[in-house]
Amino acid sequence: MSNTLLKKMTRQAYPLGFTTAVESDTVRAGLDEEVIRLISRKKNEPSFLLTWRLNAYRHWQTMHEPSWSNLKLNPIDYQAISYYSAPKSKTDGPKTLQDIDPEILRAYNKLGISLEEQKHLSGVAVDAVFDSVSVWTTCKEILNEVGVIFCPFSEAVLQYPDLIKKYLGSVVPYRDNFFAALNSAVFSDGSFVYIPKGVACPIELSTYFRMNAANTGQFERTLIIAESGSSVSYLEGCSAPMRDNHQLHAAVVELIALDDAEIKYATVQNWYPGDEKGEGGVYNLVTKRGICRGKNSKISWTQIETGSAITWKYPSVILKGDNSVGEFYSVALTNNYQQADTGTKMIHIGKNTKSTIISKGISAGFAQNSYRGLVRVAPQASHARNYSQCDSLLLSDHCGAHTFPYIEVRNSSAKVEHEASTSTISDEQMFYFQQRGIDTENAISMIVNGFCKTVFSKLPMEFAVEAEKLLELSLEGCQG
Amino acid sequence: MLEIKNLHASVQKKSILKGVNLTIKPGEIHVLMGPNGSGKTTLGKVLAGSPNYIVSKGQVLFNHHDLLMLSPEERARRGLFLGFQYPVEISGVSNIYFLKAALNILRAQQGLKALDALDFKALIQKKLEILEMDESFLYRSINEGFSGGEKKRNEILQLLIFNPTLAVLDETDSGLDIDSLKHVAEGINQFHHKDNGLLLITHYQRLLNYVRPDYVHLFHDGKIKKSGDYRLVSHLEKLGYEKALTRELA
Ligand SMILES: Nc1ncnc2c1ncn2[C@@H]1O[C@H](COP(=O)(O)OP(=O)(O)O)[C@@H](O)[C@H]1O
Ligand SMILES: [Mg+2]
């Protein structure tokens, strides 16, 4: 779109940028083996986990930050970050809602999330993670009845150590990459989901991550296991206060789908993006990967990425089981000086495996938005199919959209299709809206929503509307 | 309701409108005819507030307000409608979503409450019948892949839904087959009543077999060269613009 429409860049509104005054138990800044032992001790972890953490830490020390992405980031001082911060609670974890600091409940209410059973979104169980720990999980009874386990990761470590031992790191080994290694060493909490054989989880599961404490990183770990013939839909949301310096968020998510199982994983990421000059904002450096281990299994990633100063994330699917299906639906919106380098990897190993990639990138201001995707078809993956579509919408003359599709096909029966497009909003289109009484701001949001429709339709109903509103907010001030 | 006084406008430093004078009163239908490139479309766009044109001189009053001071969306909300000669395609935004959003903005302006999906459907159904448009057009992206005639009909559909006080229709009758022309004319007649005004930009007499104008103006080189009643149309058709103009100037 021409200068006439997008000259004035005003401050972007970030309504979730409030801070919450809670008493915290924060570990001194810096990272060494002592800090890792301390985190592990605080959580009463079994020794296998401490060993795993230390191995990850030692490996991390041999690694370097990845340099291949299209991102420009300030060097991160890993010794200036605190790796653990938890709101103080009376005993070892709250037993009832009364045990939770009312300030925290208020913070979640402000975010539109009620932790009281009667008031929570109907049909959605919520795990609330505040800085480094999970403060509350709702709907436990409904889930218990069908044998679904949905609890804080640290609780799962104590109660289901065998499952953790078996699956932790099985999809994303700590050696995988720099940030995954760091996470493996210092992760503090996150969510754990286990769906037993043949069970269709009766409600949506969701985790809400809130980063509050200053100068801390958030390193959560999510592990979802869907046994044969089971299914689950999971949603994570995130936000953080406005801080002048960059906060680090390095999560790891692992999904495991066995025979005929289905996992739908949706993310609405709205970490603080920084101000209009590019000061502050969250560095969102995340490793998400699922494996379709069983035949006919399916894993679907949907992400709406509007926040963070930097997003570096490639939710991927390893299609190991025959006839398994992987999907990636993504909207990444960047405004001002935000940078996103996101996409997916679809690794076809089983026969007749199928993957779909729909990526929608929207850039405004001086933002840079890259799609980076890999489709790999292994020699044994006969009749694998992939369809990829990457569309970019540019809302200013100063932003950039980049597409890096990598395709490696080692089986001649594979069918791989890639389509890409780049569009802008022309003056003529904008005038058409205005001539019908619609101002530029509304016109942009109508076009953006239209552009993202196919992805929004993959979100759970309750959240599709939220996602539309979120895009509107994130684009506020992006017109002249 | 519309008073254009000595309007001058340019695009990319090229002067196009060179002193347009025109008054339209409620209930009147005016026809603007003239050779290609004479500035008819420019006049419509300047009235609607396109940012591509610079007004260098003159005044436009719309219902006694200074029209040129208002933003394009404000002009639309106050009842000025432009039917585009080349309606633009907007992919991804469905026609029905767009029409409903725009109508509800107009209604809010008039202090009316927003129509819900059902009420809106009922309203639009009738208009579709008048134009013999298939419902499927509602669910397609705005003008995307529409044929020339379908785009024009979609403009008239909007005219009927938004029900403005003044409509400028820029060659809405061009490129239509006989049946489409009839439907478009039918739509224009449905729209027109004693309190609204119409400025029809056209090249052809055939639309005027259905719609009877009160005034016909011959536009040339950025201004109105001759005005008359509907008989001027057949005069122009017989002579062609060039002869009519040379006679006029002689
Ligand atoms: N955006 C533009 N840029 C440059 N020239 C333009 C633009 N719009 C119109 N013109 C020129 O202005 C003149 C009048 O055009 P127009 O108003 O479309 O005439 P008409 O509708 O009578 O055929 C033409 O010479 C045309 O090329
Ligand atoms: Mg024209």
Side-chain angles (χ1 to χ4, degrees):
Chain A
M1 196 168 11
S2 85
N3 296 332
T4 51
L5 289 168
L6 279 167
K7 228 175 289 170
K8 232 177 19 198
M9 300 299 296
T10 55
R11 194 190 169 86
Q12 179 180 359
Y14 185 73
L16 310 179
F18 59 88
T19 52
T20 306
V22 287
E23 259 196 275
S24 295
D25 168 13
T26 303
V27 167
R28 68 172 164 85
L31 184 54
D32 51 36
E33 294 202 0
E34 208 32 60
V35 165
I36 292 168
R37 285 175 202 280
L38 187 66
I39 293 171
S40 189
R41 205 157 50 236
K42 276 181 185 295
K43 301 186 155 294
N44 278 321
E45 284 175 354
S47 63
F48 83 86
L49 196 51
L50 176 60
T51 308
W52 193 74
R53 286 178 182 276
L54 291 172
N55 287 340
Y57 174 65
R58 286 165 197 154
H59 187 71
W60 177 71
Q61 286 178 304
T62 69
M63 300 174 92
H64 300 281
E65 282 178 20
S67 56
W68 44 262
S69 71
N70 213 27
L71 306 173
K72 286 190 191 67
L73 72 173
N74 296 340
I76 300 169
D77 180 357
Y78 294 94
Q79 297 305 332
I81 297 169
S82 163
Y83 288 84
Y84 184 86
S85 175
K88 274 189 183 149
S89 67
K90 287 168 200 149
T91 48
D92 49 329
K95 296 285 179 290
T96 69
L97 272 181
Q98 276 71 46
D99 296 336
I100 300 175
D101 189 328
E103 283 298 321
I104 293 180
L105 291 182
R106 223 166 289 147
Y108 279 99
N109 278 334
K110 263 199 214 173
L111 298 167
I113 296 152
S114 174
L115 301 181
E116 292 166 59
E117 291 293 322
Q118 316 80 299
K119 290 190 194 154
H120 61 73
L121 267 172
S122 55
V124 182
V126 179
D127 184 18
V129 177
F130 197 83
D131 289 334
S132 301
V133 296
S134 169
V135 291
W136 193 250
T137 309
T138 66
C139 295
K140 286 203 159 162
E141 291 81 35
I142 306 173
L143 296 170
N144 277 341
E145 270 171 41
V146 290
V148 168
I149 302 168
F150 178 41
C151 68
F153 200 92
S154 51
E155 196 180 310
V157 167
L158 301 178
Q159 293 199 21
Y160 315 101
D162 293 345
L163 285 174
I164 299 292
K165 219 175 191 166
K166 182 169 173 189
Y167 289 110
L168 178 70
S170 71
V171 192
V172 181
Y174 63 72
R175 293 168 185 278
D176 191 81
N177 69 71
F178 184 83
F179 297 108
L182 178 62
N183 173 288
S184 302
V186 303
F187 77 88
S188 39
D189 217 334
S191 296
F192 176 79
V193 176
Y194 177 81
I195 316 289
K197 241 181 198 157
V199 171
C201 186
I203 49 177
E204 298 272 345
L205 304 183
S206 82
T207 301
Y208 198 94
F209 295 102
R210 176 72 180 166
M211 210 187 285
N212 186 61
N215 301 319
T216 56
Q218 186 154 354
F219 305 92
E220 80 275 357
R221 204 145 180 128
T222 299
L223 177 57
I224 300 179
I225 302 151
E227 289 280 7
S228 303
S230 70
S231 63
V232 61
S233 170
Y234 178 93
L235 182 125
E236 63 170 9
C238 347
S239 66
M242 289 151 85
R243 303 270 189 206
D244 296 337
N245 49 357
H246 297 290
Q247 284 170 288
L248 179 61
H249 174 251
V252 171
V253 176
E254 297 178 280
L255 312 182
I256 296 125
L258 299 172
D259 286 355
D260 304 295
E262 179 171 353
I263 301 174
K264 279 189 188 164
Y265 192 107
T267 304
V268 176
Q269 185 264 112
N270 191 20
W271 297 116
Y272 177 53
D275 68 11
E276 78 278 11
K277 295 197 203 75
E279 302 287 331
V282 170
Y283 283 172
N284 186 36
L285 313 165
V286 169
T287 307
K288 291 181 166 176
R289 193 174 305 149
I291 181 164
C292 286
R293 281 218 337 215
K295 60 175 167 42
N296 308 322
S297 55
K298 180 174 173 183
I299 289 178
S300 169
W301 298 101
T302 303
Q303 59 173 22
I304 311 297
E305 305 282 325
T306 64
S308 297
I310 285 179
T311 294
W312 180 94
K313 137 177 207 211
Y314 314 91
S316 305
V317 185
I318 301 168
L319 297 151
K320 191 153 180 268
D322 291 348
N323 312 318
S324 58
V325 176
E327 294 175 338
F328 174 74
Y329 298 100
S330 169
V331 167
L333 183 151
T334 49
N335 196 359
N336 298 322
Y337 285 90
Q338 279 178 277
Q339 304 173 62
D341 195 293
T342 185
T344 184
K345 288 188 258 182
M346 293 291 175
I347 312 296
H348 293 256
I349 298 170
K351 295 180 176 57
N352 303 315
T353 47
K354 209 171 103 182
S355 62
T356 305
I357 298 170
I358 309 282
S359 161
K360 305 278 181 174
I362 303 151
S363 320
F366 297 88
Q368 294 295 329
N369 204 324
S370 303
Y371 166 81
R372 189 183 301 279
L374 168 68
V375 176
R376 176 182 293 154
V377 177
Q380 69 271 37
S382 55
H383 304 286
R385 270 164 49 200
N386 163 267
Y387 174 74
S388 303
Q389 185 188 336
C390 302
D391 298 322
S392 307
L393 180 62
L394 299 175
L395 298 179
S396 84
D397 297 337
H398 312 289
C399 59
H402 318 275
T403 305
F404 306 99
Y406 305 95
I407 298 170
E408 300 171 14
V409 178
R410 300 222 171 77
N411 184 303
S412 58
S413 63
K415 234 178 104 184
V416 175
E417 288 172 74
H418 178 88
E419 287 178 25
S421 78
T422 300
S423 52
T424 56
I425 303 178
S426 69
D427 288 349
E428 220 187 328
Q429 289 174 321
M430 190 51 78
F431 182 57
Y432 196 80
F433 278 95
Q434 290 177 293
Q435 210 309 297
R436 302 307 190 235
I438 299 167
D439 60 28
T440 50
E441 197 154 316
N442 274 312
I444 291 172
S445 88
M446 284 171 83
I447 289 176
V448 166
N449 278 322
F451 181 73
C452 302
K453 214 157 27 188
T454 45
V455 175
F456 287 166
S457 68
K458 302 293 170 187
L459 283 176
M461 263 276 275
E462 299 87 334
F463 299 103
V465 180
E466 289 302 311
E468 279 189 30
K469 280 194 210 137
L470 188 57
L471 286 201
E472 265 161 47
L473 270 175
S474 304
L475 278 170
E476 217 155 75
C478 118
Q479 35 79 54
Chain B
M1 58 171 40
L2 183 75
E3 230 176 304
I4 305 172
K5 292 179 199 158
N6 193 29
L7 185 63
H8 287 69
S10 61
V11 59
Q12 315 219 323
K13 296 197 177 130
K14 184 174 153 199
S15 154
I16 311 287
L17 300 185
K18 303 170 182 171
V20 179
N21 290 290
L22 178 67
T23 300
I24 299 179
K25 297 207 179 74
E28 289 179 354
I29 299 180
H30 290 244
V31 163
L32 201 61
M33 304 180 88
N36 291 327
S38 58
K40 305 180 298 296
T41 293
T42 301
L43 177 63
K45 293 221 173 145
V46 166
L47 291 176
S50 165
N52 286 343
Y53 301 87
I54 294 167
V55 173
S56 51
K57 217 171 166 183
Q59 198 188 23
V60 181
L61 293 177
F62 180 50
N63 294 327
H64 312 293
H65 291 283
D66 184 352
L67 185 72
L68 302 176
M69 289 296 290
L70 304 174
S71 67
E73 59 269 27
E74 193 55 41
R75 299 180 197 197
R77 290 172 195 171
R78 293 189 186 201
L80 178 75
F81 179 90
L82 173 63
F84 288 86
Q85 181 176 4
Y86 303 111
V88 66
E89 301 193 0
I90 300 166
S91 82
V93 182
S94 77
N95 224 357
I96 188 160
Y97 177 57
F98 171 73
L99 294 173
K100 185 160 160 266
L103 178 64
N104 282 331
I105 286 170
L106 288 175
R107 289 177 64 90
Q109 180 90 359
Q110 294 158 10
L112 299 170
K113 83 177 192 348
L115 287 186
D116 63 23
L118 284 177
D119 290 341
F120 181 70
K121 237 354 230 316
L123 171 90
I124 205 164
Q125 209 69 47
K126 285 195 209 117
K127 318 289 184 198
L128 286 171
E129 279 163 27
I130 295 167
L131 297 169
E132 287 198 14
M133 270 175 88
D134 194 85
E135 206 184 310
S136 63
F137 282 107
L138 298 178
Y139 303 100
R140 288 169 60 179
S141 293
I142 303 166
N143 295 323
E144 197 178 43
F146 287 24
S147 73
E150 288 164 352
K151 283 181 182 164
K152 298 294 172 76
R153 267 199 256 186
N154 202 34
E155 294 293 291
I156 298 299
L157 177 68
Q158 297 181 52
L159 174 74
L160 292 178
I161 291 169
F162 303 145
N163 193 23
T165 49
L166 177 73
V168 179
L169 302 181
D170 191 358
E171 295 200 32
T172 307
D173 58 334
S174 291
L176 296 181
D177 63 33
I178 306 157
D179 293 345
S180 303
L181 180 70
K182 241 186 224 166
H183 293 131
V184 161
E186 178 64 23
I188 293 173
N189 282 325
Q190 285 275 343
F191 161 73
H192 183 64
H193 58 71
K194 67 172 178 33
D195 295 322
N196 60 28
L198 257 172
L199 178 61
L200 300 175
I201 299 170
T202 180
H203 285 300
Y204 308 107
Q205 190 171 9
R206 54 179 202 163
L207 175 67
L208 308 174
N209 294 333
Y210 302 97
V211 182
R212 185 43 81 88
D214 302 293
Y215 298 94
V216 175
H217 310 281
L218 172 57
F219 201 82
H220 178 68
D221 193 22
K223 56 177 141 193
I224 290 172
K225 287 280 156 67
K226 187 179 169 78
S227 297
D229 62 16
Y230 71 91
R231 281 171 305 188
L232 180 58
V233 178
S234 45
H235 176 68
L236 289 174
E237 282 229 333
K238 227 183 302 157
L239 289 177
Y241 293 132
E242 208 169 319
K243 267 198 190 145
L245 279 162
T246 39
R247 269 196 207 181
E248 183 57 29
L249 297 174

